[in-house]
Each structure stands twice: as C-alpha cells, then as structure tokens.
Amino acid sequence: MMSSYEIVQPTGTDRSLNISQYDRIGNASASCDGIHCYSGVIFEVATIMTIVLAVFGAFGNVLTILAIVTSRLKMNVNSILICNLSVADVVYCSFILPLQAMTFYHKGWTLSDLLCQLHASLRIWLIGVNMMLLSTIAFYRFLHVVHPQSHTRYTQRPWFIAACVLCWALPFFFCITPLIGIWGSFDFQERILQCTFSTNSSKSHKITTITAGYVVPCLFICVCYARLGCVVCTSRQRASRGSQYRRQRARRESFRLTGMMLLIFLGFLIGTTPFFIINTVDNRLKYPMPHIWSPFLAWIMYSMNPVIYTVMDVNFQRAYHRLLLCMIFKPDNVAETSVADRQSSLIKGKHDQPPQ
C-alpha cells in the first residue's frame, strides 16, 4: 500500500502531454507576429474612431458643398476649389473610411481581391486630388497677392476649368496603371490592415507616386506660402507709413491672412507627413502600429477642412447661415465683404473685367 508521503511520479504519457503543451505555448509565443499580438481593444477603438470621422467628415463636407452651390460663392475661384476639395473628402469619408472600419473590426479584408484593389486605387487617387487642390489653392492665392495681373488672366473660365480638370486627372494616372497591370500593383497587407501598395511589385511605382503626390506638392506649397508671407510683411510695413485707417486695415488683413496660411500649412504637414514618412522608411512593414494610426491624422484633416477653409471666412459664415435657416431660395443680394473677394470672382467675359 502506497504511503501518504510518497510522491506519485508522472507516467510517460503524462510527461509527454505536458511537454507537448509547453511546446505549443512556446511556439505560439514565438510565432506571434503582426496584428494578432496586439489587444483587441486597440482595433475596437480604431473602428469607432474611423466611423466617427467618416460621419462627421461626410456631413461637414456635404454642408460645405451645399453652402457654396446655393450662394454667391459658387462664382468665386477659391470657393470653387474648396468645393472640389470637399467633393473629394465626401467620397473619401463615404467609401474609404467605412470599408477601413470594417477591416479594423474583422482584423482582415473579408471582401474580394478586386474590391481591395479598387479600394486602394480610389484611396490613392483621392489623396492625390487633395494634394493637387491644396497646391492649386496656394497657387491662386499666390497670384492674387503677388501677381494680380496674372491672377486676372488665369481666373478666366478656360484656364480655371483646365486647372480643376488637371487636379482630378493627373492623380488618376498613378491609380489606373496598377489596375490594368501596366505599372505597380495593389493588394491587402495583413500586417497593417490596409489595401495599399504591394510589397512584391516594383518599388518604382510607389516611389514615383509618393514623390509626385507628396514631395513635389509640399515643396510647391511651402514656396507659395513663404512668398505670400514675405509680401504680407512688406505690405504691412509700407502701410504703417500711411494713415491710421490704412494701418488698422493692413493689420487686420495681415493677421487674418497669416492665421489662415498657418492653419492651412500646419494642417497639411501634420495630416500627411507622418503617413508618407512611415511608408517610406518602414517599407517592409516591420512596425504595424505606426502604419495603422498615422492615417488618422490625415482623416482628421479631411474632416477639419470645412473648418479651416470656411469658418474663418465671413462669406462662408453667411452662406452657412442661409443654408441652415433654409433661406437658400431667397436671392442672395449681399455683395462680397472685401475687394479681394470681388477680385477673386470668375471673369465671365472680356467686358466683365475690372478696370486696370
């Protein structure tokens, strides 16, 4: 009879079972890689944030579009460019973000591969359209302040329509080539939960797209706003020698324009720089979390564009007021609030040009 103090040794079967269990646990820990190593709370938060940004971004940009097309702003160059920007952001928030939220929720792409390629293509296209429109806005503001004569010329319908078409057509080239199999490819990257550039295809397409879609527009916008800042400072110094009214008006215009430029520039850099830097530096997707969270800055920028570009402008505030109070069916007889706004209006013909 076995003593109560005698230790029962495990049998061979029990020993092999324990060893196999430890092996499975060790192998599971060693094989943990990618998104499956992170807590599910992270992806739940990402899903909720994406849905919230999609709703607010779509609503705000639709409101901006309606405010423009139902008021006198639809004849203003800057307003039309902002309307194009809002259209691109509405499409982004309505199609890209809901599918991305679904990907965060399921921790994978549950739809077809073709839809994944279309999702990536549309995403890259709309980002490029945003960059082109931001560059065009900076260009027209540069012409308006630095070269007024050229601004009058390039705001005529043929030139302006060509500029708007170019903003949509040029980025489309870099998105259609992967779909038809000519240059580059898109697929789903499980490590970062995104339909994006394929790691197996040629890097030339990705490098060219990032350079043409981010680096070049960023440098162009920097040059335009830097030159604008210099002109504003110079104009303010000249106005300080004039009357008290001119000094106060120059100070207000200087502060307003400087604040607008600063918000535009900071929003542009903060929203897009981390995304493109991470995609360039971590080309092999070794660190998933920066790839997952960096696009949120750009999504916030898309949602905040109506605030940055419209709330600081009195004309847009009046357009919002008319829209929200259902006064859009009444004629908008209020003229623009400043000479600069009137000079930014589209020129319909030769006889409508302002006197030189």
Side-chain angles (χ1 to χ4, degrees):
M1 184 174 180
M2 183 179 297
S3 173
S4 59
Y5 297 98
E6 186 176 356
I7 300 176
V8 179
Q9 297 294 332
T11 62
T13 304
D14 296 334
R15 188 182 297 110
S16 61
L17 180 60
N18 293 334
I19 293 175
S20 62
Q21 290 176 350
Y22 286 124
D23 288 341
R24 286 196 299 270
I25 295 175
N27 292 333
S29 301
S31 62
C32 179
D33 190 19
I35 61 171
H36 300 289
C37 300
Y38 300 95
S39 172
V41 178
I42 296 177
F43 302 101
E44 293 176 359
V45 173
T47 302
I48 296 174
M49 290 181 61
T50 305
I51 295 174
V52 170
L53 291 176
V55 173
F56 279 93
F59 176 77
N61 285 285
V62 167
L63 195 66
T64 301
I65 296 171
L66 294 177
I68 292 174
V69 300
T70 58
S71 66
R72 295 172 59 92
L73 292 174
K74 60 178 175 290
M75 297 303 297
N76 184 276
V77 171
N78 293 328
S79 302
I80 295 175
L81 292 173
I82 292 174
C83 185
N84 278 267
L85 189 66
S86 296
V87 171
D89 292 341
V90 165
V91 177
Y92 196 99
C93 295
S94 301
F95 293 95
I96 302 300
L97 293 188
L99 291 177
Q100 188 61 53
M102 181 194 68
T103 305
F104 286 146
Y105 180 77
H106 294 286
K107 295 184 182 180
W109 185 261
T110 58
L111 303 177
S112 64
D113 294 337
L114 177 60
L115 191 57
C116 179
Q117 295 177 6
L118 293 174
H119 181 266
S121 180
L122 181 62
R123 180 179 186 176
I124 300 300
W125 181 33
L126 294 175
I127 292 176
V129 170
N130 267 270
M131 297 301 178
M132 290 291 295
L133 288 171
L134 289 173
S135 301
T136 306
I137 290 173
F139 175 69
Y140 272 97
R141 286 177 176 170
F142 169 79
L143 290 181
H144 183 266
V145 176
V146 182
H147 300 288
Q149 301 296 332
S150 299
H151 180 268
T152 302
R153 176 187 178 186
Y154 288 110
T155 50
Q156 295 183 11
R157 288 187 183 275
W159 288 99
F160 185 71
I161 292 175
C164 293
V165 171
L166 184 63
C167 289
W168 289 86
L170 185 59
F172 184 75
F173 169 77
F174 296 97
C175 303
I176 195 62
T177 54
L179 293 179
I180 60 180
I182 296 179
W183 186 30
S185 63
F186 297 131
D187 60 10
F188 180 70
Q189 301 295 331
E190 186 179 1
R191 290 182 59 85
I192 60 175
L193 296 178
Q194 291 179 15
C195 293
T196 183
F197 298 99
S198 176
T199 56
N200 299 324
S201 61
S202 176
K203 296 181 180 180
S204 61
H205 177 259
K206 180 179 181 179
I207 295 175
T208 305
T209 303
I210 292 178
T211 302
Y214 171 73
V215 178
V216 175
C218 183
L219 294 176
F220 181 80
I221 292 174
C222 289
V223 171
C224 288
Y225 284 140
R227 178 60 177 158
L228 275 171
C230 294
V231 172
V232 168
C233 293
T234 303
S235 301
R236 185 181 177 185
Q237 292 175 0
R238 291 178 180 176
S240 62
R241 305 188 185 100
S243 61
Q244 182 69 20
Y245 171 75
R246 290 179 59 189
R247 288 199 300 268
Q248 293 177 356
R249 182 177 180 181
R251 187 177 296 110
R252 288 196 301 269
E253 292 294 327
S254 176
F255 287 161
R256 185 181 66 85
L257 185 57
T258 303
M260 179 76 73
M261 289 189 302
L262 183 61
L263 285 177
I264 294 170
F265 189 64
L266 289 179
F268 175 80
L269 289 181
I270 295 174
T272 58
T273 301
F275 174 77
F276 285 103
I277 289 179
I278 291 171
N279 277 271
T280 303
V281 174
D282 188 18
N283 189 42
R284 297 184 178 180
L285 311 179
K286 294 181 179 180
Y287 307 99
M289 281 297 123
H291 288 273
I292 292 176
W293 288 105
S294 61
F296 278 90
L297 296 175
W299 300 344
I300 293 174
M301 185 189 72
Y302 299 153
S303 302
M304 293 295 294
N305 273 336
V307 178
I308 297 176
Y309 288 97
T310 61
V311 171
M312 294 186 65
D313 190 275
V314 178
N315 296 316
F316 272 96
Q317 293 176 4
R318 186 173 64 250
Y320 280 127
H321 183 265
R322 294 182 69 253
L323 178 64
L324 295 177
L325 295 182
C326 300
M327 299 171 59
I328 58 177
F329 299 104
K330 297 181 180 180
D332 186 10
N333 297 323
V334 181
E336 287 88 349
T337 57
S338 66
V339 176
D341 293 326
R342 292 194 295 271
Q343 292 176 348
S344 296
S345 298
L346 279 175
I347 300 174
K348 295 183 179 181
K350 178 190 292 187
H351 301 288
D352 296 325
Q353 294 185 9
Q356 303 297 331

